[in-house]
Amino acid sequence: MASQLDALNRWVDEVARLTQPDAIHWCDGSDEESRALTAQMLGDGTLVALNPQTHPNCYLHRSNPSDVARVEQLTLVCTRNKDDAGPNNHWMEPAEAHKKIDALFAGCMKGRTLYVIPYCMGPIDSPISRCGVEITDSPYVVANMRLLTRMGAPALARIEREGKFVKGLHSVGELDPERRFIMHFPEELSIKSYGSDYGGNALLGKKCHALRIASWQAKSEGWLAEHMLIVGIENPAGETTYVAAAFPSACGKTNLSMLIPPEGYRKAGWKVWTVGDDICWMTPGADGRLWAINPEAGYFGVAPGTSKTTNPNALATIQHDTIFTNVAVTADNQPWWEGLPGTPATDWQGRPYDRANGPVAHPNSRFTVSAKQCPSWSPQAEDAQGVPISAIVFGGRRPSLVPLVFQARDWTHGVLVGTAMVSETTAAATGAVGVLRRDSMAMKPFCGYNYGDYFAHWLSLDKPGATLPKIFHVNWFRKGADGKFLWPGFGDNLRVLEWIIGRCEGTAHAEETPIGFVPGKRDLHLEGLDIDDHSLDTLLDVDTEGWIDEVADIGRYLDSFGNHTPAALKAEQQRVAEALERDDKPARKAAAG
Ligand code: GTP
Ligand code: SPV
Ligand code: MN
């Protein structure tokens, strides 16, 4: 019988004929391999060693300044039928797309080594996990994939057993934004990426495979591939509740997944366990609950803002064996960014520090590190069946209108709440920052198919026998008249999570409003928190007039997906619109006491 690896070998041969590398290296994921690659990258300047006393085995990579974030306008979903990609994606006909990008790949690896990276997304022995192979000419990509996925020999063995894998072809090309494409062919389970060496554009196991391709597979197979963190909250009785939360890029997933409880909570015995910080695959279990795994093995986290006060767990995680990308460095060669003590000597482009040049660390500068180094890393992250999810939380950067937290009435209402998510754009993608846009389920850049069909898929999980998570929406980013955040955020977000868990257990009180259940001031545990009454009132207010306009706009947004929008979602939007029209706020407040 022909080996299952024949298909892989044939594909590698075919790619080598097209790209003409000088050498081919099959990555085994070993320490020797990693040491040799690091030495090579230190030799040619791809990596710079950081201070070995303060940061052993830590390296800095400086990207080409034109290649520092995801490029949404060059990211394509290439389905036979344009409608399947939907208005939420950029689309190209598959044959045309292959032709266009293969012309760029032709001969592009001359003088370079072609690396074959077999990887597994998810615990190597989990039935929920999926394998892929990335071919790349970037040793920096190999080093990152080694930290972010289960890469090498065990993954290759699984591929040999299963015979099925996602094919990802990547070349840095000329790093020319004019010759750059990130293409997805969900019907062929393949990805082709050319001209970028950055994050989600180049580390194909992450957004390309684990979200765009996986979301397509999840739709036909009845599960969910989501841009969500997974966190376990252990109460003083030792019971752990798992929560999955979808926030858009650079809106707080890594931070929430690693939060350190406020002092009072710590003393009482609360603990937080990190299962995942960016991607969540959820499958209905035999018990009807959704069980989640983190398909990743490491973090590709935002550096700026990471500090001892905001995210001490992340800071502890990145003290050794970490790759830093586009951060600044101090005079004694430690990594530096806005939020850390000390003074930078050199900026992210390697220039002497000059405030006139703008942010010293790039706003989308990142660290890549193995998840196991995190002090709050959950051993359940290795569990083959995953963890059961009790609550799903949606959230974004909303300077106004949206309260600190509210709970959806039921699953259908919750899907509407996720669909209606809005957030300010951030430096994680190229383009303007701080622009409000709808980002349904934080998947706008990552859903590999028509959003209308995706909303329908979410709704379809609500069927007899299912015990689905409760759905919530949070907003840590509400601003006051002075432009400052009203909510302290970070560790104090546990106060909101405690209310969320209380709602799941039926113990926490809430006020019913047209947009869902909102806690009253006394329903949140605020002891030890320095916040004034006026800020709290604003954070928990439901502004009827503002919401009437918002819900009308949600209706127009739903219509933009034409007949792909599920009727049940439109009906739900109508229900909320009518409840707002009927809302008698003074009576509602009086009833709530
Ligand atoms: P991606 O990796 O791009 O998907 O981002 P992410 O969602 O993991 O965001 P991350 O946790 O890295 O946070 C991004 C930025 O938001 C950082 O600069 C944080 O300091 C800041 N941030 C995170 N949580 C909070 C919060 O609760 N309040 C405030 N004000 N800022 C926060
Ligand atoms: C994001 O942008 O959501 C990230 C970083 O997590 S990247 O891997 O570049 O997509
Ligand atoms: Mn992300």
Side-chain angles (χ1 to χ4, degrees), residues 24-48:
I24 296 181
H25 176 90
W26 287 70
C27 298
D28 61 13
S30 66
D31 291 343
E32 304 85 87
E33 177 180 82
S34 170
R35 273 193 294 272
L37 269 178
T38 302
Q40 178 195 319
M41 287 190 279
L42 286 170
D44 67 17
T46 303
L47 293 182
V48 178

mmCIF file with all atom_site columns, all heavy atoms in Angstrom, residues 24-48:
data_model
loop_
_atom_site.group_PDB
_atom_site.id
_atom_site.type_symbol
_atom_site.label_atom_id
_atom_site.label_alt_id
_atom_site.label_comp_id
_atom_site.label_asym_id
_atom_site.label_entity_id
_atom_site.label_seq_id
_atom_site.pdbx_PDB_ins_code
_atom_site.Cartn_x
_atom_site.Cartn_y
_atom_site.Cartn_z
_atom_site.occupancy
_atom_site.B_iso_or_equiv
_atom_site.pdbx_formal_charge
_atom_site.auth_seq_id
_atom_site.auth_comp_id
_atom_site.auth_asym_id
_atom_site.auth_atom_id
_atom_site.pdbx_PDB_model_num
ATOM 1   N N   . ILE A 1 24 ? 16.381 21.554 0.642  1.00 0.00 ? 24 ILE A N   1
ATOM 2   C CA  . ILE A 1 24 ? 15.094 21.263 1.282  1.00 0.00 ? 24 ILE A CA  1
ATOM 3   C C   . ILE A 1 24 ? 15.381 20.703 2.673  1.00 0.00 ? 24 ILE A C   1
ATOM 4   O O   . ILE A 1 24 ? 16.214 19.814 2.823  1.00 0.00 ? 24 ILE A O   1
ATOM 5   C CB  . ILE A 1 24 ? 14.276 20.242 0.458  1.00 0.00 ? 24 ILE A CB  1
ATOM 6   C CG1 . ILE A 1 24 ? 13.927 20.841 -0.907 1.00 0.00 ? 24 ILE A CG1 1
ATOM 7   C CG2 . ILE A 1 24 ? 13.014 19.808 1.209  1.00 0.00 ? 24 ILE A CG2 1
ATOM 8   C CD1 . ILE A 1 24 ? 13.093 19.961 -1.811 1.00 0.00 ? 24 ILE A CD1 1
ATOM 9   N N   . HIS A 1 25 ? 14.715 21.244 3.676  1.00 0.00 ? 25 HIS A N   1
ATOM 10  C CA  . HIS A 1 25 ? 14.914 20.767 5.046  1.00 0.00 ? 25 HIS A CA  1
ATOM 11  C C   . HIS A 1 25 ? 13.569 20.379 5.646  1.00 0.00 ? 25 HIS A C   1
ATOM 12  O O   . HIS A 1 25 ? 12.644 21.202 5.709  1.00 0.00 ? 25 HIS A O   1
ATOM 13  C CB  . HIS A 1 25 ? 15.575 21.860 5.901  1.00 0.00 ? 25 HIS A CB  1
ATOM 14  C CG  . HIS A 1 25 ? 15.723 21.479 7.340  1.00 0.00 ? 25 HIS A CG  1
ATOM 15  N ND1 . HIS A 1 25 ? 16.838 20.838 7.825  1.00 0.00 ? 25 HIS A ND1 1
ATOM 16  C CD2 . HIS A 1 25 ? 14.871 21.638 8.390  1.00 0.00 ? 25 HIS A CD2 1
ATOM 17  C CE1 . HIS A 1 25 ? 16.664 20.613 9.135  1.00 0.00 ? 25 HIS A CE1 1
ATOM 18  N NE2 . HIS A 1 25 ? 15.483 21.082 9.496  1.00 0.00 ? 25 HIS A NE2 1
ATOM 19  N N   . TRP A 1 26 ? 13.454 19.133 6.089  1.00 0.00 ? 26 TRP A N   1
ATOM 20  C CA  . TRP A 1 26 ? 12.227 18.674 6.775  1.00 0.00 ? 26 TRP A CA  1
ATOM 21  C C   . TRP A 1 26 ? 12.397 18.933 8.267  1.00 0.00 ? 26 TRP A C   1
ATOM 22  O O   . TRP A 1 26 ? 13.301 18.375 8.900  1.00 0.00 ? 26 TRP A O   1
ATOM 23  C CB  . TRP A 1 26 ? 11.997 17.182 6.515  1.00 0.00 ? 26 TRP A CB  1
ATOM 24  C CG  . TRP A 1 26 ? 11.535 16.897 5.115  1.00 0.00 ? 26 TRP A CG  1
ATOM 25  C CD1 . TRP A 1 26 ? 12.278 17.009 3.967  1.00 0.00 ? 26 TRP A CD1 1
ATOM 26  C CD2 . TRP A 1 26 ? 10.217 16.475 4.708  1.00 0.00 ? 26 TRP A CD2 1
ATOM 27  N NE1 . TRP A 1 26 ? 11.499 16.682 2.871  1.00 0.00 ? 26 TRP A NE1 1
ATOM 28  C CE2 . TRP A 1 26 ? 10.237 16.344 3.300  1.00 0.00 ? 26 TRP A CE2 1
ATOM 29  C CE3 . TRP A 1 26 ? 9.028  16.200 5.402  1.00 0.00 ? 26 TRP A CE3 1
ATOM 30  C CZ2 . TRP A 1 26 ? 9.113  15.944 2.571  1.00 0.00 ? 26 TRP A CZ2 1
ATOM 31  C CZ3 . TRP A 1 26 ? 7.920  15.799 4.675  1.00 0.00 ? 26 TRP A CZ3 1
ATOM 32  C CH2 . TRP A 1 26 ? 7.959  15.685 3.271  1.00 0.00 ? 26 TRP A CH2 1
ATOM 33  N N   . CYS A 1 27 ? 11.550 19.753 8.844  1.00 0.00 ? 27 CYS A N   1
ATOM 34  C CA  . CYS A 1 27 ? 11.704 20.122 10.254 1.00 0.00 ? 27 CYS A CA  1
ATOM 35  C C   . CYS A 1 27 ? 11.235 18.983 11.151 1.00 0.00 ? 27 CYS A C   1
ATOM 36  O O   . CYS A 1 27 ? 10.116 18.480 10.999 1.00 0.00 ? 27 CYS A O   1
ATOM 37  C CB  . CYS A 1 27 ? 10.887 21.375 10.562 1.00 0.00 ? 27 CYS A CB  1
ATOM 38  S SG  . CYS A 1 27 ? 11.439 22.792 9.609  1.00 0.00 ? 27 CYS A SG  1
ATOM 39  N N   . ASP A 1 28 ? 12.107 18.614 12.097 1.00 0.00 ? 28 ASP A N   1
ATOM 40  C CA  . ASP A 1 28 ? 11.729 17.553 13.043 1.00 0.00 ? 28 ASP A CA  1
ATOM 41  C C   . ASP A 1 28 ? 11.349 18.126 14.409 1.00 0.00 ? 28 ASP A C   1
ATOM 42  O O   . ASP A 1 28 ? 10.891 17.407 15.288 1.00 0.00 ? 28 ASP A O   1
ATOM 43  C CB  . ASP A 1 28 ? 12.842 16.509 13.169 1.00 0.00 ? 28 ASP A CB  1
ATOM 44  C CG  . ASP A 1 28 ? 14.144 17.097 13.700 1.00 0.00 ? 28 ASP A CG  1
ATOM 45  O OD1 . ASP A 1 28 ? 14.119 18.252 14.203 1.00 0.00 ? 28 ASP A OD1 1
ATOM 46  O OD2 . ASP A 1 28 ? 15.189 16.426 13.611 1.00 0.00 ? 28 ASP A OD2 1
ATOM 47  N N   . GLY A 1 29 ? 11.544 19.444 14.593 1.00 0.00 ? 29 GLY A N   1
ATOM 48  C CA  . GLY A 1 29 ? 11.147 20.079 15.845 1.00 0.00 ? 29 GLY A CA  1
ATOM 49  C C   . GLY A 1 29 ? 12.127 19.861 16.987 1.00 0.00 ? 29 GLY A C   1
ATOM 50  O O   . GLY A 1 29 ? 11.843 20.245 18.127 1.00 0.00 ? 29 GLY A O   1
ATOM 51  N N   . SER A 1 30 ? 13.295 19.288 16.698 1.00 0.00 ? 30 SER A N   1
ATOM 52  C CA  . SER A 1 30 ? 14.247 18.970 17.774 1.00 0.00 ? 30 SER A CA  1
ATOM 53  C C   . SER A 1 30 ? 14.974 20.216 18.276 1.00 0.00 ? 30 SER A C   1
ATOM 54  O O   . SER A 1 30 ? 15.006 21.257 17.611 1.00 0.00 ? 30 SER A O   1
ATOM 55  C CB  . SER A 1 30 ? 15.279 17.962 17.268 1.00 0.00 ? 30 SER A CB  1
ATOM 56  O OG  . SER A 1 30 ? 16.070 18.565 16.260 1.00 0.00 ? 30 SER A OG  1
ATOM 57  N N   . ASP A 1 31 ? 15.577 20.081 19.457 1.00 0.00 ? 31 ASP A N   1
ATOM 58  C CA  . ASP A 1 31 ? 16.355 21.187 20.020 1.00 0.00 ? 31 ASP A CA  1
ATOM 59  C C   . ASP A 1 31 ? 17.583 21.494 19.168 1.00 0.00 ? 31 ASP A C   1
ATOM 60  O O   . ASP A 1 31 ? 17.947 22.661 18.988 1.00 0.00 ? 31 ASP A O   1
ATOM 61  C CB  . ASP A 1 31 ? 16.798 20.845 21.453 1.00 0.00 ? 31 ASP A CB  1
ATOM 62  C CG  . ASP A 1 31 ? 15.615 20.804 22.411 1.00 0.00 ? 31 ASP A CG  1
ATOM 63  O OD1 . ASP A 1 31 ? 14.546 21.345 22.042 1.00 0.00 ? 31 ASP A OD1 1
ATOM 64  O OD2 . ASP A 1 31 ? 15.747 20.223 23.502 1.00 0.00 ? 31 ASP A OD2 1
ATOM 65  N N   . GLU A 1 32 ? 18.217 20.424 18.617 1.00 0.00 ? 32 GLU A N   1
ATOM 66  C CA  . GLU A 1 32 ? 19.407 20.665 17.777 1.00 0.00 ? 32 GLU A CA  1
ATOM 67  C C   . GLU A 1 32 ? 19.033 21.497 16.556 1.00 0.00 ? 32 GLU A C   1
ATOM 68  O O   . GLU A 1 32 ? 19.742 22.417 16.173 1.00 0.00 ? 32 GLU A O   1
ATOM 69  C CB  . GLU A 1 32 ? 20.047 19.347 17.281 1.00 0.00 ? 32 GLU A CB  1
ATOM 70  C CG  . GLU A 1 32 ? 20.442 18.353 18.344 1.00 0.00 ? 32 GLU A CG  1
ATOM 71  C CD  . GLU A 1 32 ? 19.274 17.467 18.754 1.00 0.00 ? 32 GLU A CD  1
ATOM 72  O OE1 . GLU A 1 32 ? 19.074 16.442 18.083 1.00 0.00 ? 32 GLU A OE1 1
ATOM 73  O OE2 . GLU A 1 32 ? 18.566 17.796 19.723 1.00 0.00 ? 32 GLU A OE2 1
ATOM 74  N N   . GLU A 1 33 ? 17.912 21.138 15.964 1.00 0.00 ? 33 GLU A N   1
ATOM 75  C CA  . GLU A 1 33 ? 17.454 21.865 14.784 1.00 0.00 ? 33 GLU A CA  1
ATOM 76  C C   . GLU A 1 33 ? 17.244 23.340 15.130 1.00 0.00 ? 33 GLU A C   1
ATOM 77  O O   . GLU A 1 33 ? 17.661 24.229 14.398 1.00 0.00 ? 33 GLU A O   1
ATOM 78  C CB  . GLU A 1 33 ? 16.150 21.246 14.299 1.00 0.00 ? 33 GLU A CB  1
ATOM 79  C CG  . GLU A 1 33 ? 15.514 21.946 13.128 1.00 0.00 ? 33 GLU A CG  1
ATOM 80  C CD  . GLU A 1 33 ? 14.220 21.225 12.744 1.00 0.00 ? 33 GLU A CD  1
ATOM 81  O OE1 . GLU A 1 33 ? 13.174 21.470 13.380 1.00 0.00 ? 33 GLU A OE1 1
ATOM 82  O OE2 . GLU A 1 33 ? 14.273 20.389 11.829 1.00 0.00 ? 33 GLU A OE2 1
ATOM 83  N N   . SER A 1 34 ? 16.592 23.572 16.287 1.00 0.00 ? 34 SER A N   1
ATOM 84  C CA  . SER A 1 34 ? 16.304 24.934 16.701 1.00 0.00 ? 34 SER A CA  1
ATOM 85  C C   . SER A 1 34 ? 17.595 25.715 16.956 1.00 0.00 ? 34 SER A C   1
ATOM 86  O O   . SER A 1 34 ? 17.727 26.874 16.547 1.00 0.00 ? 34 SER A O   1
ATOM 87  C CB  . SER A 1 34 ? 15.439 24.891 17.963 1.00 0.00 ? 34 SER A CB  1
ATOM 88  O OG  . SER A 1 34 ? 15.323 26.161 18.511 1.00 0.00 ? 34 SER A OG  1
ATOM 89  N N   . ARG A 1 35 ? 18.567 25.046 17.624 1.00 0.00 ? 35 ARG A N   1
ATOM 90  C CA  . ARG A 1 35 ? 19.855 25.722 17.893 1.00 0.00 ? 35 ARG A CA  1
ATOM 91  C C   . ARG A 1 35 ? 20.554 26.102 16.596 1.00 0.00 ? 35 ARG A C   1
ATOM 92  O O   . ARG A 1 35 ? 21.071 27.210 16.457 1.00 0.00 ? 35 ARG A O   1
ATOM 93  C CB  . ARG A 1 35 ? 20.761 24.820 18.737 1.00 0.00 ? 35 ARG A CB  1
ATOM 94  C CG  . ARG A 1 35 ? 20.530 24.980 20.246 1.00 0.00 ? 35 ARG A CG  1
ATOM 95  C CD  . ARG A 1 35 ? 21.652 24.331 21.056 1.00 0.00 ? 35 ARG A CD  1
ATOM 96  N NE  . ARG A 1 35 ? 21.676 22.881 20.905 1.00 0.00 ? 35 ARG A NE  1
ATOM 97  C CZ  . ARG A 1 35 ? 20.968 22.045 21.674 1.00 0.00 ? 35 ARG A CZ  1
ATOM 98  N NH1 . ARG A 1 35 ? 20.191 22.517 22.633 1.00 0.00 ? 35 ARG A NH1 1
ATOM 99  N NH2 . ARG A 1 35 ? 21.038 20.743 21.476 1.00 0.00 ? 35 ARG A NH2 1
ATOM 100 N N   . ALA A 1 36 ? 20.559 25.184 15.632 1.00 0.00 ? 36 ALA A N   1
ATOM 101 C CA  . ALA A 1 36 ? 21.252 25.442 14.364 1.00 0.00 ? 36 ALA A CA  1
ATOM 102 C C   . ALA A 1 36 ? 20.584 26.601 13.617 1.00 0.00 ? 36 ALA A C   1
ATOM 103 O O   . ALA A 1 36 ? 21.261 27.486 13.073 1.00 0.00 ? 36 ALA A O   1
ATOM 104 C CB  . ALA A 1 36 ? 21.265 24.176 13.509 1.00 0.00 ? 36 ALA A CB  1
ATOM 105 N N   . LEU A 1 37 ? 19.246 26.598 13.607 1.00 0.00 ? 37 LEU A N   1
ATOM 106 C CA  . LEU A 1 37 ? 18.527 27.677 12.904 1.00 0.00 ? 37 LEU A CA  1
ATOM 107 C C   . LEU A 1 37 ? 18.772 29.023 13.569 1.00 0.00 ? 37 LEU A C   1
ATOM 108 O O   . LEU A 1 37 ? 18.954 30.042 12.902 1.00 0.00 ? 37 LEU A O   1
ATOM 109 C CB  . LEU A 1 37 ? 17.027 27.393 12.912 1.00 0.00 ? 37 LEU A CB  1
ATOM 110 C CG  . LEU A 1 37 ? 16.469 26.610 11.738 1.00 0.00 ? 37 LEU A CG  1
ATOM 111 C CD1 . LEU A 1 37 ? 14.975 26.391 11.931 1.00 0.00 ? 37 LEU A CD1 1
ATOM 112 C CD2 . LEU A 1 37 ? 16.709 27.378 10.438 1.00 0.00 ? 37 LEU A CD2 1
ATOM 113 N N   . THR A 1 38 ? 18.772 29.025 14.919 1.00 0.00 ? 38 THR A N   1
ATOM 114 C CA  . THR A 1 38 ? 19.017 30.271 15.656 1.00 0.00 ? 38 THR A CA  1
ATOM 115 C C   . THR A 1 38 ? 20.414 30.798 15.335 1.00 0.00 ? 38 THR A C   1
ATOM 116 O O   . THR A 1 38 ? 20.590 31.995 15.064 1.00 0.00 ? 38 THR A O   1
ATOM 117 C CB  . THR A 1 38 ? 18.856 30.039 17.172 1.00 0.00 ? 38 THR A CB  1
ATOM 118 O OG1 . THR A 1 38 ? 17.538 29.542 17.402 1.00 0.00 ? 38 THR A OG1 1
ATOM 119 C CG2 . THR A 1 38 ? 19.061 31.310 17.960 1.00 0.00 ? 38 THR A CG2 1
ATOM 120 N N   . ALA A 1 39 ? 21.408 29.904 15.338 1.00 0.00 ? 39 ALA A N   1
ATOM 121 C CA  . ALA A 1 39 ? 22.783 30.318 15.039 1.00 0.00 ? 39 ALA A CA  1
ATOM 122 C C   . ALA A 1 39 ? 22.851 30.935 13.642 1.00 0.00 ? 39 ALA A C   1
ATOM 123 O O   . ALA A 1 39 ? 23.478 31.989 13.435 1.00 0.00 ? 39 ALA A O   1
ATOM 124 C CB  . ALA A 1 39 ? 23.723 29.121 15.147 1.00 0.00 ? 39 ALA A CB  1
ATOM 125 N N   . GLN A 1 40 ? 22.169 30.290 12.709 1.00 0.00 ? 40 GLN A N   1
ATOM 126 C CA  . GLN A 1 40 ? 22.150 30.800 11.336 1.00 0.00 ? 40 GLN A CA  1
ATOM 127 C C   . GLN A 1 40 ? 21.508 32.193 11.277 1.00 0.00 ? 40 GLN A C   1
ATOM 128 O O   . GLN A 1 40 ? 22.032 33.104 10.634 1.00 0.00 ? 40 GLN A O   1
ATOM 129 C CB  . GLN A 1 40 ? 21.373 29.805 10.483 1.00 0.00 ? 40 GLN A CB  1
ATOM 130 C CG  . GLN A 1 40 ? 21.201 30.191 9.026  1.00 0.00 ? 40 GLN A CG  1
ATOM 131 C CD  . GLN A 1 40 ? 20.110 29.335 8.380  1.00 0.00 ? 40 GLN A CD  1
ATOM 132 O OE1 . GLN A 1 40 ? 20.030 28.127 8.628  1.00 0.00 ? 40 GLN A OE1 1
ATOM 133 N NE2 . GLN A 1 40 ? 19.274 29.951 7.563  1.00 0.00 ? 40 GLN A NE2 1
ATOM 134 N N   . MET A 1 41 ? 20.406 32.366 11.993 1.00 0.00 ? 41 MET A N   1
ATOM 135 C CA  . MET A 1 41 ? 19.703 33.670 11.955 1.00 0.00 ? 41 MET A CA  1
ATOM 136 C C   . MET A 1 41 ? 20.481 34.757 12.692 1.00 0.00 ? 41 MET A C   1
ATOM 137 O O   . MET A 1 41 ? 20.414 35.929 12.313 1.00 0.00 ? 41 MET A O   1
ATOM 138 C CB  . MET A 1 41 ? 18.290 33.521 12.532 1.00 0.00 ? 41 MET A CB  1
ATOM 139 C CG  . MET A 1 41 ? 17.349 32.782 11.594 1.00 0.00 ? 41 MET A CG  1
ATOM 140 S SD  . MET A 1 41 ? 15.630 32.862 12.148 1.00 0.00 ? 41 MET A SD  1
ATOM 141 C CE  . MET A 1 41 ? 15.598 31.591 13.383 1.00 0.00 ? 41 MET A CE  1
ATOM 142 N N   . LEU A 1 42 ? 21.229 34.363 13.738 1.00 0.00 ? 42 LEU A N   1
ATOM 143 C CA  . LEU A 1 42 ? 22.082 35.342 14.419 1.00 0.00 ? 42 LEU A CA  1
ATOM 144 C C   . LEU A 1 42 ? 23.205 35.750 13.471 1.00 0.00 ? 42 LEU A C   1
ATOM 145 O O   . LEU A 1 42 ? 23.606 36.920 13.424 1.00 0.00 ? 42 LEU A O   1
ATOM 146 C CB  . LEU A 1 42 ? 22.664 34.752 15.708 1.00 0.00 ? 42 LEU A CB  1
ATOM 147 C CG  . LEU A 1 42 ? 21.673 34.610 16.870 1.00 0.00 ? 42 LEU A CG  1
ATOM 148 C CD1 . LEU A 1 42 ? 22.285 33.781 18.005 1.00 0.00 ? 42 LEU A CD1 1
ATOM 149 C CD2 . LEU A 1 42 ? 21.261 35.989 17.400 1.00 0.00 ? 42 LEU A CD2 1
ATOM 150 N N   . GLY A 1 43 ? 23.691 34.765 12.692 1.00 0.00 ? 43 GLY A N   1
ATOM 151 C CA  . GLY A 1 43 ? 24.785 35.031 11.755 1.00 0.00 ? 43 GLY A CA  1
ATOM 152 C C   . GLY A 1 43 ? 24.393 35.995 10.650 1.00 0.00 ? 43 GLY A C   1
ATOM 153 O O   . GLY A 1 43 ? 25.170 36.877 10.272 1.00 0.00 ? 43 GLY A O   1
ATOM 154 N N   . ASP A 1 44 ? 23.166 35.850 10.136 1.00 0.00 ? 44 ASP A N   1
ATOM 155 C CA  . ASP A 1 44 ? 22.794 36.713 8.992  1.00 0.00 ? 44 ASP A CA  1
ATOM 156 C C   . ASP A 1 44 ? 21.975 37.936 9.408  1.00 0.00 ? 44 ASP A C   1
ATOM 157 O O   . ASP A 1 44 ? 21.483 38.677 8.565  1.00 0.00 ? 44 ASP A O   1
ATOM 158 C CB  . ASP A 1 44 ? 22.083 35.891 7.906  1.00 0.00 ? 44 ASP A CB  1
ATOM 159 C CG  . ASP A 1 44 ? 20.716 35.377 8.341  1.00 0.00 ? 44 ASP A CG  1
ATOM 160 O OD1 . ASP A 1 44 ? 20.165 35.900 9.333  1.00 0.00 ? 44 ASP A OD1 1
ATOM 161 O OD2 . ASP A 1 44 ? 20.192 34.455 7.697  1.00 0.00 ? 44 ASP A OD2 1
ATOM 162 N N   . GLY A 1 45 ? 21.809 38.130 10.731 1.00 0.00 ? 45 GLY A N   1
ATOM 163 C CA  . GLY A 1 45 ? 21.149 39.354 11.208 1.00 0.00 ? 45 GLY A CA  1
ATOM 164 C C   . GLY A 1 45 ? 19.628 39.260 11.284 1.00 0.00 ? 45 GLY A C   1
ATOM 165 O O   . GLY A 1 45 ? 18.962 40.231 11.661 1.00 0.00 ? 45 GLY A O   1
ATOM 166 N N   . THR A 1 46 ? 19.046 38.100 10.935 1.00 0.00 ? 46 THR A N   1
ATOM 167 C CA  . THR A 1 46 ? 17.580 37.939 11.060 1.00 0.00 ? 46 THR A CA  1
ATOM 168 C C   . THR A 1 46 ? 17.173 38.093 12.519 1.00 0.00 ? 46 THR A C   1
ATOM 169 O O   . THR A 1 46 ? 16.105 38.628 12.830 1.00 0.00 ? 46 THR A O   1
ATOM 170 C CB  . THR A 1 46 ? 17.149 36.554 10.536 1.00 0.00 ? 46 THR A CB  1
ATOM 171 O OG1 . THR A 1 46 ? 17.600 36.438 9.185  1.00 0.00 ? 46 THR A OG1 1
ATOM 172 C CG2 . THR A 1 46 ? 15.653 36.353 10.588 1.00 0.00 ? 46 THR A CG2 1
ATOM 173 N N   . LEU A 1 47 ? 18.032 37.592 13.415 1.00 0.00 ? 47 LEU A N   1
ATOM 174 C CA  . LEU A 1 47 ? 17.796 37.727 14.849 1.00 0.00 ? 47 LEU A CA  1
ATOM 175 C C   . LEU A 1 47 ? 18.957 38.488 15.479 1.00 0.00 ? 47 LEU A C   1
ATOM 176 O O   . LEU A 1 47 ? 20.100 38.386 15.011 1.00 0.00 ? 47 LEU A O   1
ATOM 177 C CB  . LEU A 1 47 ? 17.684 36.360 15.524 1.00 0.00 ? 47 LEU A CB  1
ATOM 178 C CG  . LEU A 1 47 ? 16.493 35.464 15.193 1.00 0.00 ? 47 LEU A CG  1
ATOM 179 C CD1 . LEU A 1 47 ? 16.577 34.187 16.026 1.00 0.00 ? 47 LEU A CD1 1
ATOM 180 C CD2 . LEU A 1 47 ? 15.163 36.178 15.430 1.00 0.00 ? 47 LEU A CD2 1
ATOM 181 N N   . VAL A 1 48 ? 18.639 39.213 16.552 1.00 0.00 ? 48 VAL A N   1
ATOM 182 C CA  . VAL A 1 48 ? 19.657 39.865 17.365 1.00 0.00 ? 48 VAL A CA  1
ATOM 183 C C   . VAL A 1 48 ? 19.509 39.287 18.771 1.00 0.00 ? 48 VAL A C   1
ATOM 184 O O   . VAL A 1 48 ? 18.392 39.202 19.294 1.00 0.00 ? 48 VAL A O   1
ATOM 185 C CB  . VAL A 1 48 ? 19.413 41.394 17.410 1.00 0.00 ? 48 VAL A CB  1
ATOM 186 C CG1 . VAL A 1 48 ? 20.436 42.086 18.282 1.00 0.00 ? 48 VAL A CG1 1
ATOM 187 C CG2 . VAL A 1 48 ? 19.395 41.982 16.003 1.00 0.00 ? 48 VAL A CG2 1
#
